[in-house]
Amino acid sequence: MTSIFTGHDQGVRPHGTPSSGMPTPGGATAVLDRHLRFTGWSREAEELFGLASEEVLGRSADAVLADTETGAGISSAAGDGGTAWSLGPRPVRRGDGRPVPVSLSLTPLALGVGATGWLLVAVDSELAHWEALGRAMLDGLDRESPVQLVIYDTDARVRWVNAAIEKQFGISLKEVAGRFLKDILPQGEVLEEADRPVISVEEIVQRVARTGSPVVDVRYRSATFLAPHHERVWSCSYFRLQDEEGRPIGVCEAGLDITDRYVARQRLALLSRASGSIGRTLDIRHTAGELAELVVPEFAEAVIVDIFEPVLGGEEPRHGSTHPTLCRVAQRTDHAAAKDTAYDELDTVSLRCLAENAPATDAATHVLALPLKARGTTLGVAAFARPQHADPFEHEEIQLAEELVSRTAVCLDNARRYTREHTTALMLQRDLLPRALPEQPGVEVAHRYLPAAGHAGVGGDWYDVIPLSGARVGLVVGDVAGHGMGAAATMGRVRTTVAALAALDLAPDELLARLDDLVARTGIPTSGAAEAEAEDQALGVTCLYAIYDPVSRHCVMARAGHLPPVLVTPDGHTELVDLPAGPPLGLGGLPFECADIELQEGAMLALYTDGLVENRQTDIDAGIRSLCTALSGPGNGQLDRICDRVITRLLPQAPEDDAALLLLRVHALAESLVATWDMACDAAEVARARSLALDQLAAWGVDEAASFVVELVVSELVTNAIRYGNAPVCLRLIQERGLIVEVSDGGHTSPHLRRAAMEDEGGRGLFLVAQLTQRWGTRYTSTGKTIWTEVPLSPAKLPGTFPGERFEL
């Protein structure tokens, strides 16, 4: 007992059988004589009561161990000296004056021959309570806790597992002790977390043992020996175990099965991703592919999406068909599970789903097929498959699949409706844009049109080449802001109006002024229109109109809010034409100005819309500079090649906005093909005019029939100009594909149609002119008017005449 007691009583030994109050580990011991005076005082007693042995030995236990609250000692509770006894918790004052609750027990001792005494054991009541709780807790964690506990050594080998591990995994401590987890559960894996890299459990354990920093909520997924084909998910935390010196001796892992919670969270995450990943484009195949990409392999190992064929063309499926035509638009497989997945049942279950127009599964629910329904119409079917050994589709998962398929069906229907509208708009636009531009004397023409990519689709850009009188040509390019059917329809209205006004031989500024008035009066939306209009509603109209005369090589042009054309000289130099901008169409009341430029032989004009030179990455000024660069250089070659070069450089990818380009290379009409004479206001000049015309026709080699018609036309037009017009009078003949006869005078009176009576002596001249020519009309200039006609080189093709109607001036 020398290691326990201090004082003069050494070598004592216990006597009798201890009661339930026998010493417990960590208790303080002392020895009392039969008079309950201390004769021995252990080191533990010194620490518990804060009193040294010299302060206690020889003193009465009643004084040292008195109850601080009642003052009672322990002698009143002592037995007859032969019976062990205990005293419940009581507050005893320490040497520093602080009370400490203790439980006391006394056991009789033999203190030599004829001497008796007591062995006193004192235990801190609170410490004893916690020690009992600790033992109960350890026992509970080992046998009763639902939390899985594993203790690893510092090398990450398993050393101990609790009963929860044995129950849930179907393994015993004997089977796993001394082994690595990767050898026990080779298919297990640590799931990827957003805030930590994916590593193995062994690496986690070794790091915790090395650093002492705990790791919390590591998601571990694995099958178990009890259910080898069904994976579970656990949330595991790791902390270091160390000895009294602070040295690491192992790592404890605490795990909790969170499979249901994890699956529920994964389902919510899947729905959340679906809202952002399905329907990002208005393309049917792409949308179906987004569903397939989303669900494999997280929800299923294989998926197919079949759509009725009419849906791909933008139409609703034809119901009632006994043999519906299905097109597979998406298919995806997790190749890791390909061998075990029930592929053979996909088509069978899909057809049954369509036949019943309701969800369908196979016998074991490893294949699930759902109809793609939107607005009460079935567009197709989506089918999901899992391996035979995997968990079947449960009720909650079927509901999740129905939600995913429902969202996909709505997106597919939107894509179908867009496809229909886009196809209709493209058809409308193709009908509205010129399919082939007319060939005109003195000009070469090439053109390109690129619709906007993606949802924007069809826009309102257009261009046109309009034949005018006197071998002249009208050039127009315009842009209706916005996209879709509205923009295309507005473009068609404006283009038709421009063509009608051009037929009146109006100057460019006057044509734009009338067009501006029509746009404002007919309600075609302008750039200042209400912002609440639909997305595809046109929001503004710009236009550029030019007239090129190959005889004079002059080009007169005006623009309404449109970009100025680029002029390319024969030596390859490029520059923007200095042309007043003018307001966009529809604002009303603002003037338009013309610019008249003389073009060199072989010069080129480029007319374009903003979609060619402007995008999100490039501002419009940089785009125009790039256009000028692409057009510059001598010996440009064929216009079609130039168009291709411009498109390749400026639009290497599909444009964000529709773009139009119209290239025009000009040539002068040879002087030998144009003859002009001034006429005096004298009736005798008519004969001279006929003679001059016949001589010129003979020089050109025109046959007799055509010469006869030209002679008649010249006679009638010159006669009317001298009789009803004003000076100066001018006759001009132009030879191109046919013969053009023009007579100009200083009057502004237009010819008009009236019915001639049988007794009338005149009034039939212009009627004969109209019958003997292909076209005829009047255009006005700043000095008067010009009556023009076009005579074919084969007049026999002209229709016959019908007497009874006449024109007069």
mmCIF file of all heavy atoms in Angstrom, residues 690-728:
data_model
loop_
_atom_site.group_PDB
_atom_site.id
_atom_site.type_symbol
_atom_site.label_atom_id
_atom_site.label_comp_id
_atom_site.label_asym_id
_atom_site.label_seq_id
_atom_site.Cartn_x
_atom_site.Cartn_y
_atom_site.Cartn_z
ATOM 1 N N ARG A 690 -38.217 62.154 -138.998
ATOM 2 C CA ARG A 690 -38.389 60.816 -139.556
ATOM 3 C C ARG A 690 -37.173 60.413 -140.370
ATOM 4 O O ARG A 690 -36.694 59.269 -140.288
ATOM 5 C CB ARG A 690 -39.638 60.766 -140.431
ATOM 6 C CG ARG A 690 -40.947 60.845 -139.652
ATOM 7 C CD ARG A 690 -42.105 60.364 -140.522
ATOM 8 N NE ARG A 690 -42.266 61.190 -141.692
ATOM 9 C CZ ARG A 690 -43.078 62.255 -141.768
ATOM 10 N NH1 ARG A 690 -43.807 62.613 -140.710
ATOM 11 N NH2 ARG A 690 -43.175 62.959 -142.873
ATOM 12 N N SER A 691 -36.665 61.346 -141.144
ATOM 13 C CA SER A 691 -35.515 61.050 -141.993
ATOM 14 C C SER A 691 -34.278 60.725 -141.166
ATOM 15 O O SER A 691 -33.562 59.763 -141.433
ATOM 16 C CB SER A 691 -35.234 62.240 -142.918
ATOM 17 O OG SER A 691 -34.083 61.997 -143.700
ATOM 18 N N LEU A 692 -34.012 61.539 -140.113
ATOM 19 C CA LEU A 692 -32.862 61.280 -139.255
ATOM 20 C C LEU A 692 -32.970 59.924 -138.568
ATOM 21 O O LEU A 692 -31.989 59.172 -138.452
ATOM 22 C CB LEU A 692 -32.733 62.390 -138.206
ATOM 23 C CG LEU A 692 -32.352 63.785 -138.733
ATOM 24 C CD1 LEU A 692 -32.467 64.814 -137.607
ATOM 25 C CD2 LEU A 692 -30.933 63.771 -139.295
ATOM 26 N N ALA A 693 -34.157 59.607 -138.132
ATOM 27 C CA ALA A 693 -34.360 58.333 -137.441
ATOM 28 C C ALA A 693 -34.129 57.159 -138.372
ATOM 29 O O ALA A 693 -33.466 56.176 -138.009
ATOM 30 C CB ALA A 693 -35.765 58.284 -136.840
ATOM 31 N N LEU A 694 -34.672 57.249 -139.640
ATOM 32 C CA LEU A 694 -34.502 56.140 -140.579
ATOM 33 C C LEU A 694 -33.039 55.960 -140.957
ATOM 34 O O LEU A 694 -32.563 54.820 -141.094
ATOM 35 C CB LEU A 694 -35.364 56.376 -141.811
ATOM 36 C CG LEU A 694 -36.882 56.248 -141.598
ATOM 37 C CD1 LEU A 694 -37.633 56.648 -142.867
ATOM 38 C CD2 LEU A 694 -37.239 54.820 -141.194
ATOM 39 N N ASP A 695 -32.333 57.041 -141.113
ATOM 40 C CA ASP A 695 -30.911 56.931 -141.433
ATOM 41 C C ASP A 695 -30.146 56.242 -140.304
ATOM 42 O O ASP A 695 -29.263 55.398 -140.551
ATOM 43 C CB ASP A 695 -30.326 58.322 -141.677
ATOM 44 C CG ASP A 695 -30.842 58.948 -142.968
ATOM 45 O OD1 ASP A 695 -31.392 58.180 -143.794
ATOM 46 O OD2 ASP A 695 -30.722 60.172 -143.115
ATOM 47 N N GLN A 696 -30.479 56.592 -139.065
ATOM 48 C CA GLN A 696 -29.778 55.987 -137.935
ATOM 49 C C GLN A 696 -30.115 54.508 -137.812
ATOM 50 O O GLN A 696 -29.245 53.674 -137.544
ATOM 51 C CB GLN A 696 -30.157 56.706 -136.638
ATOM 52 C CG GLN A 696 -29.391 56.218 -135.426
ATOM 53 C CD GLN A 696 -27.885 56.436 -135.543
ATOM 54 O OE1 GLN A 696 -27.419 57.574 -135.716
ATOM 55 N NE2 GLN A 696 -27.101 55.360 -135.506
ATOM 56 N N LEU A 697 -31.368 54.161 -138.071
ATOM 57 C CA LEU A 697 -31.758 52.761 -137.992
ATOM 58 C C LEU A 697 -31.061 51.940 -139.072
ATOM 59 O O LEU A 697 -30.675 50.786 -138.846
ATOM 60 C CB LEU A 697 -33.273 52.622 -138.130
ATOM 61 C CG LEU A 697 -34.113 53.239 -136.980
ATOM 62 C CD1 LEU A 697 -35.604 53.116 -137.288
ATOM 63 C CD2 LEU A 697 -33.793 52.557 -135.653
ATOM 64 N N ALA A 698 -30.929 52.559 -140.253
ATOM 65 C CA ALA A 698 -30.221 51.863 -141.326
ATOM 66 C C ALA A 698 -28.759 51.632 -140.933
ATOM 67 O O ALA A 698 -28.185 50.576 -141.199
ATOM 68 C CB ALA A 698 -30.324 52.653 -142.614
ATOM 69 N N ALA A 699 -28.151 52.644 -140.267
ATOM 70 C CA ALA A 699 -26.765 52.490 -139.830
ATOM 71 C C ALA A 699 -26.629 51.386 -138.784
ATOM 72 O O ALA A 699 -25.607 50.701 -138.705
ATOM 73 C CB ALA A 699 -26.247 53.819 -139.274
ATOM 74 N N TRP A 700 -27.667 51.190 -138.002
ATOM 75 C CA TRP A 700 -27.637 50.138 -136.972
ATOM 76 C C TRP A 700 -28.024 48.778 -137.540
ATOM 77 O O TRP A 700 -27.932 47.760 -136.839
ATOM 78 C CB TRP A 700 -28.600 50.491 -135.826
ATOM 79 C CG TRP A 700 -28.052 51.589 -134.911
ATOM 80 C CD1 TRP A 700 -26.771 51.969 -134.767
ATOM 81 C CD2 TRP A 700 -28.833 52.400 -134.034
ATOM 82 N NE1 TRP A 700 -26.650 52.980 -133.856
ATOM 83 C CE2 TRP A 700 -27.911 53.272 -133.370
ATOM 84 C CE3 TRP A 700 -30.188 52.513 -133.738
ATOM 85 C CZ2 TRP A 700 -28.322 54.225 -132.439
ATOM 86 C CZ3 TRP A 700 -30.592 53.449 -132.798
ATOM 87 C CH2 TRP A 700 -29.664 54.298 -132.153
ATOM 88 N N GLY A 701 -28.512 48.755 -138.745
ATOM 89 C CA GLY A 701 -28.899 47.499 -139.354
ATOM 90 C C GLY A 701 -30.247 46.986 -138.884
ATOM 91 O O GLY A 701 -30.476 45.764 -138.895
ATOM 92 N N VAL A 702 -31.126 47.881 -138.522
ATOM 93 C CA VAL A 702 -32.452 47.479 -138.057
ATOM 94 C C VAL A 702 -33.299 47.098 -139.258
ATOM 95 O O VAL A 702 -33.281 47.774 -140.285
ATOM 96 C CB VAL A 702 -33.106 48.614 -137.249
ATOM 97 C CG1 VAL A 702 -34.522 48.220 -136.814
ATOM 98 C CG2 VAL A 702 -32.239 48.969 -136.040
ATOM 99 N N ASP A 703 -34.100 46.002 -139.107
ATOM 100 C CA ASP A 703 -34.880 45.528 -140.256
ATOM 101 C C ASP A 703 -36.006 46.501 -140.590
ATOM 102 O O ASP A 703 -36.322 47.416 -139.829
ATOM 103 C CB ASP A 703 -35.420 44.123 -140.029
ATOM 104 C CG ASP A 703 -36.384 44.048 -138.844
ATOM 105 O OD1 ASP A 703 -37.029 45.061 -138.527
ATOM 106 O OD2 ASP A 703 -36.492 42.975 -138.231
ATOM 107 N N GLU A 704 -36.625 46.250 -141.695
ATOM 108 C CA GLU A 704 -37.611 47.198 -142.262
ATOM 109 C C GLU A 704 -38.856 47.294 -141.393
ATOM 110 O O GLU A 704 -39.414 48.383 -141.211
ATOM 111 C CB GLU A 704 -37.998 46.746 -143.681
ATOM 112 C CG GLU A 704 -38.939 47.713 -144.404
ATOM 113 C CD GLU A 704 -39.224 47.271 -145.817
ATOM 114 O OE1 GLU A 704 -38.494 46.399 -146.331
ATOM 115 O OE2 GLU A 704 -40.181 47.800 -146.398
ATOM 116 N N ALA A 705 -39.316 46.165 -140.819
ATOM 117 C CA ALA A 705 -40.547 46.189 -140.021
ATOM 118 C C ALA A 705 -40.359 47.058 -138.789
ATOM 119 O O ALA A 705 -41.216 47.897 -138.451
ATOM 120 C CB ALA A 705 -40.928 44.773 -139.616
ATOM 121 N N ALA A 706 -39.230 46.881 -138.110
ATOM 122 C CA ALA A 706 -38.976 47.689 -136.933
ATOM 123 C C ALA A 706 -38.775 49.152 -137.296
ATOM 124 O O ALA A 706 -39.228 50.053 -136.581
ATOM 125 C CB ALA A 706 -37.748 47.154 -136.187
ATOM 126 N N SER A 707 -38.112 49.395 -138.409
ATOM 127 C CA SER A 707 -37.899 50.773 -138.846
ATOM 128 C C SER A 707 -39.227 51.465 -139.126
ATOM 129 O O SER A 707 -39.403 52.655 -138.830
ATOM 130 C CB SER A 707 -37.020 50.807 -140.099
ATOM 131 O OG SER A 707 -35.733 50.259 -139.823
ATOM 132 N N PHE A 708 -40.190 50.710 -139.696
ATOM 133 C CA PHE A 708 -41.494 51.287 -139.983
ATOM 134 C C PHE A 708 -42.189 51.728 -138.694
ATOM 135 O O PHE A 708 -42.767 52.817 -138.609
ATOM 136 C CB PHE A 708 -42.367 50.277 -140.739
ATOM 137 C CG PHE A 708 -43.782 50.728 -140.912
ATOM 138 C CD1 PHE A 708 -44.123 51.674 -141.868
ATOM 139 C CD2 PHE A 708 -44.791 50.222 -140.101
ATOM 140 C CE1 PHE A 708 -45.432 52.092 -142.003
ATOM 141 C CE2 PHE A 708 -46.097 50.635 -140.236
ATOM 142 C CZ PHE A 708 -46.434 51.570 -141.200
ATOM 143 N N VAL A 709 -42.127 50.858 -137.655
ATOM 144 C CA VAL A 709 -42.771 51.195 -136.391
ATOM 145 C C VAL A 709 -42.091 52.408 -135.763
ATOM 146 O O VAL A 709 -42.765 53.326 -135.277
ATOM 147 C CB VAL A 709 -42.713 50.000 -135.429
ATOM 148 C CG1 VAL A 709 -43.233 50.383 -134.046
ATOM 149 C CG2 VAL A 709 -43.522 48.833 -135.978
ATOM 150 N N VAL A 710 -40.744 52.449 -135.794
ATOM 151 C CA VAL A 710 -40.031 53.574 -135.206
ATOM 152 C C VAL A 710 -40.367 54.858 -135.949
ATOM 153 O O VAL A 710 -40.557 55.923 -135.347
ATOM 154 C CB VAL A 710 -38.517 53.316 -135.224
ATOM 155 C CG1 VAL A 710 -37.748 54.572 -134.836
ATOM 156 C CG2 VAL A 710 -38.165 52.166 -134.297
ATOM 157 N N GLU A 711 -40.462 54.773 -137.270
ATOM 158 C CA GLU A 711 -40.798 55.961 -138.062
ATOM 159 C C GLU A 711 -42.163 56.513 -137.653
ATOM 160 O O GLU A 711 -42.336 57.725 -137.486
ATOM 161 C CB GLU A 711 -40.798 55.616 -139.547
ATOM 162 C CG GLU A 711 -41.119 56.809 -140.451
ATOM 163 C CD GLU A 711 -41.194 56.423 -141.915
ATOM 164 O OE1 GLU A 711 -41.222 55.187 -142.193
ATOM 165 O OE2 GLU A 711 -41.228 57.337 -142.754
ATOM 166 N N LEU A 712 -43.140 55.591 -137.480
ATOM 167 C CA LEU A 712 -44.470 56.021 -137.077
ATOM 168 C C LEU A 712 -44.460 56.636 -135.686
ATOM 169 O O LEU A 712 -45.064 57.683 -135.436
ATOM 170 C CB LEU A 712 -45.431 54.834 -137.124
ATOM 171 C CG LEU A 712 -46.882 55.101 -136.691
ATOM 172 C CD1 LEU A 712 -47.503 56.170 -137.592
ATOM 173 C CD2 LEU A 712 -47.695 53.827 -136.743
ATOM 174 N N VAL A 713 -43.729 56.009 -134.765
ATOM 175 C CA VAL A 713 -43.673 56.504 -133.388
ATOM 176 C C VAL A 713 -43.004 57.867 -133.352
ATOM 177 O O VAL A 713 -43.476 58.799 -132.673
ATOM 178 C CB VAL A 713 -42.927 55.502 -132.492
ATOM 179 C CG1 VAL A 713 -42.621 56.109 -131.124
ATOM 180 C CG2 VAL A 713 -43.731 54.220 -132.329
ATOM 181 N N VAL A 714 -41.878 58.040 -134.076
ATOM 182 C CA VAL A 714 -41.179 59.321 -134.093
ATOM 183 C C VAL A 714 -42.090 60.407 -134.644
ATOM 184 O O VAL A 714 -42.167 61.523 -134.122
ATOM 185 C CB VAL A 714 -39.886 59.209 -134.919
ATOM 186 C CG1 VAL A 714 -39.309 60.597 -135.210
ATOM 187 C CG2 VAL A 714 -38.857 58.353 -134.190
ATOM 188 N N SER A 715 -42.815 60.083 -135.704
ATOM 189 C CA SER A 715 -43.709 61.065 -136.330
ATOM 190 C C SER A 715 -44.771 61.544 -135.342
ATOM 191 O O SER A 715 -45.006 62.747 -135.199
ATOM 192 C CB SER A 715 -44.356 60.451 -137.564
ATOM 193 O OG SER A 715 -45.243 61.369 -138.164
ATOM 194 N N GLU A 716 -45.397 60.586 -134.645
ATOM 195 C CA GLU A 716 -46.471 60.956 -133.733
ATOM 196 C C GLU A 716 -45.941 61.727 -132.532
ATOM 197 O O GLU A 716 -46.519 62.746 -132.120
ATOM 198 C CB GLU A 716 -47.207 59.691 -133.259
ATOM 199 C CG GLU A 716 -48.015 59.007 -134.335
ATOM 200 C CD GLU A 716 -49.144 59.880 -134.851
ATOM 201 O OE1 GLU A 716 -49.655 60.725 -134.071
ATOM 202 O OE2 GLU A 716 -49.510 59.744 -136.022
ATOM 203 N N LEU A 717 -44.823 61.276 -131.948
ATOM 204 C CA LEU A 717 -44.332 61.925 -130.738
ATOM 205 C C LEU A 717 -43.776 63.316 -131.021
ATOM 206 O O LEU A 717 -44.018 64.254 -130.249
ATOM 207 C CB LEU A 717 -43.257 61.054 -130.070
ATOM 208 C CG LEU A 717 -43.726 59.699 -129.511
ATOM 209 C CD1 LEU A 717 -42.552 58.995 -128.820
ATOM 210 C CD2 LEU A 717 -44.880 59.872 -128.545
ATOM 211 N N VAL A 718 -43.024 63.477 -132.112
ATOM 212 C CA VAL A 718 -42.476 64.800 -132.449
ATOM 213 C C VAL A 718 -43.612 65.758 -132.805
ATOM 214 O O VAL A 718 -43.597 66.937 -132.419
ATOM 215 C CB VAL A 718 -41.459 64.687 -133.591
ATOM 216 C CG1 VAL A 718 -41.023 66.070 -134.060
ATOM 217 C CG2 VAL A 718 -40.237 63.889 -133.136
ATOM 218 N N THR A 719 -44.619 65.252 -133.539
ATOM 219 C CA THR A 719 -45.760 66.105 -133.898
ATOM 220 C C THR A 719 -46.445 66.625 -132.641
ATOM 221 O O THR A 719 -46.751 67.822 -132.519
ATOM 222 C CB THR A 719 -46.752 65.311 -134.757
ATOM 223 O OG1 THR A 719 -46.112 64.915 -135.971
ATOM 224 C CG2 THR A 719 -47.980 66.142 -135.073
ATOM 225 N N ASN A 720 -46.710 65.713 -131.677
ATOM 226 C CA ASN A 720 -47.385 66.136 -130.449
ATOM 227 C C ASN A 720 -46.540 67.107 -129.639
ATOM 228 O O ASN A 720 -47.054 68.053 -129.038
ATOM 229 C CB ASN A 720 -47.730 64.925 -129.591
ATOM 230 C CG ASN A 720 -48.882 64.117 -130.168
ATOM 231 O OD1 ASN A 720 -49.666 64.625 -130.976
ATOM 232 N ND2 ASN A 720 -48.979 62.848 -129.771
ATOM 233 N N ALA A 721 -45.203 66.889 -129.599
ATOM 234 C CA ALA A 721 -44.338 67.767 -128.835
ATOM 235 C C ALA A 721 -44.331 69.166 -129.421
ATOM 236 O O ALA A 721 -44.361 70.168 -128.687
ATOM 237 C CB ALA A 721 -42.914 67.205 -128.802
ATOM 238 N N ILE A 722 -44.288 69.255 -130.784
ATOM 239 C CA ILE A 722 -44.269 70.572 -131.422
ATOM 240 C C ILE A 722 -45.626 71.246 -131.291
ATOM 241 O O ILE A 722 -45.725 72.460 -131.048
ATOM 242 C CB ILE A 722 -43.861 70.418 -132.899
ATOM 243 C CG1 ILE A 722 -42.394 69.971 -132.989
ATOM 244 C CG2 ILE A 722 -44.073 71.719 -133.653
ATOM 245 C CD1 ILE A 722 -41.950 69.641 -134.395
ATOM 246 N N ARG A 723 -46.716 70.446 -131.417
ATOM 247 C CA ARG A 723 -48.063 71.036 -131.425
ATOM 248 C C ARG A 723 -48.518 71.433 -130.021
ATOM 249 O O ARG A 723 -49.119 72.501 -129.845
ATOM 250 C CB ARG A 723 -49.035 70.031 -132.028
ATOM 251 C CG ARG A 723 -50.481 70.536 -132.113
ATOM 252 C CD ARG A 723 -51.369 69.528 -132.775
ATOM 253 N NE ARG A 723 -50.930 69.273 -134.157
ATOM 254 C CZ ARG A 723 -51.491 68.354 -134.961
ATOM 255 N NH1 ARG A 723 -52.501 67.616 -134.506
ATOM 256 N NH2 ARG A 723 -51.035 68.179 -136.190
ATOM 257 N N TYR A 724 -48.224 70.553 -129.010
ATOM 258 C CA TYR A 724 -48.793 70.808 -127.693
ATOM 259 C C TYR A 724 -47.758 71.162 -126.620
ATOM 260 O O TYR A 724 -48.137 71.586 -125.535
ATOM 261 C CB TYR A 724 -49.568 69.576 -127.216
ATOM 262 C CG TYR A 724 -50.657 69.160 -128.162
ATOM 263 C CD1 TYR A 724 -50.526 68.012 -128.936
ATOM 264 C CD2 TYR A 724 -51.807 69.937 -128.295
ATOM 265 C CE1 TYR A 724 -51.518 67.620 -129.804
ATOM 266 C CE2 TYR A 724 -52.817 69.554 -129.175
ATOM 267 C CZ TYR A 724 -52.669 68.387 -129.926
ATOM 268 O OH TYR A 724 -53.664 68.026 -130.792
ATOM 269 N N GLY A 725 -46.478 70.962 -126.903
ATOM 270 C CA GLY A 725 -45.462 71.208 -125.894
ATOM 271 C C GLY A 725 -44.790 72.545 -126.083
ATOM 272 O O GLY A 725 -45.224 73.396 -126.859
ATOM 273 N N ASN A 726 -43.688 72.726 -125.388
ATOM 274 C CA ASN A 726 -42.895 73.945 -125.458
ATOM 275 C C ASN A 726 -41.457 73.587 -125.798
ATOM 276 O O ASN A 726 -41.012 72.453 -125.659
ATOM 277 C CB ASN A 726 -42.932 74.687 -124.108
ATOM 278 C CG ASN A 726 -44.346 75.093 -123.719
ATOM 279 O OD1 ASN A 726 -45.136 75.532 -124.555
ATOM 280 N ND2 ASN A 726 -44.677 74.939 -122.431
ATOM 281 N N ALA A 727 -40.744 74.582 -126.245
ATOM 282 C CA ALA A 727 -39.331 74.391 -126.536
ATOM 283 C C ALA A 727 -38.574 74.209 -125.214
ATOM 284 O O ALA A 727 -39.027 74.711 -124.169
ATOM 285 C CB ALA A 727 -38.793 75.580 -127.316
ATOM 286 N N PRO A 728 -37.435 73.532 -125.246
ATOM 287 C CA PRO A 728 -36.817 72.890 -126.420
ATOM 288 C C PRO A 728 -37.374 71.483 -126.630
ATOM 289 O O PRO A 728 -37.787 70.829 -125.703
ATOM 290 C CB PRO A 728 -35.356 72.823 -126.031
ATOM 291 C CG PRO A 728 -35.383 72.687 -124.527
ATOM 292 C CD PRO A 728 -36.565 73.469 -124.044
#
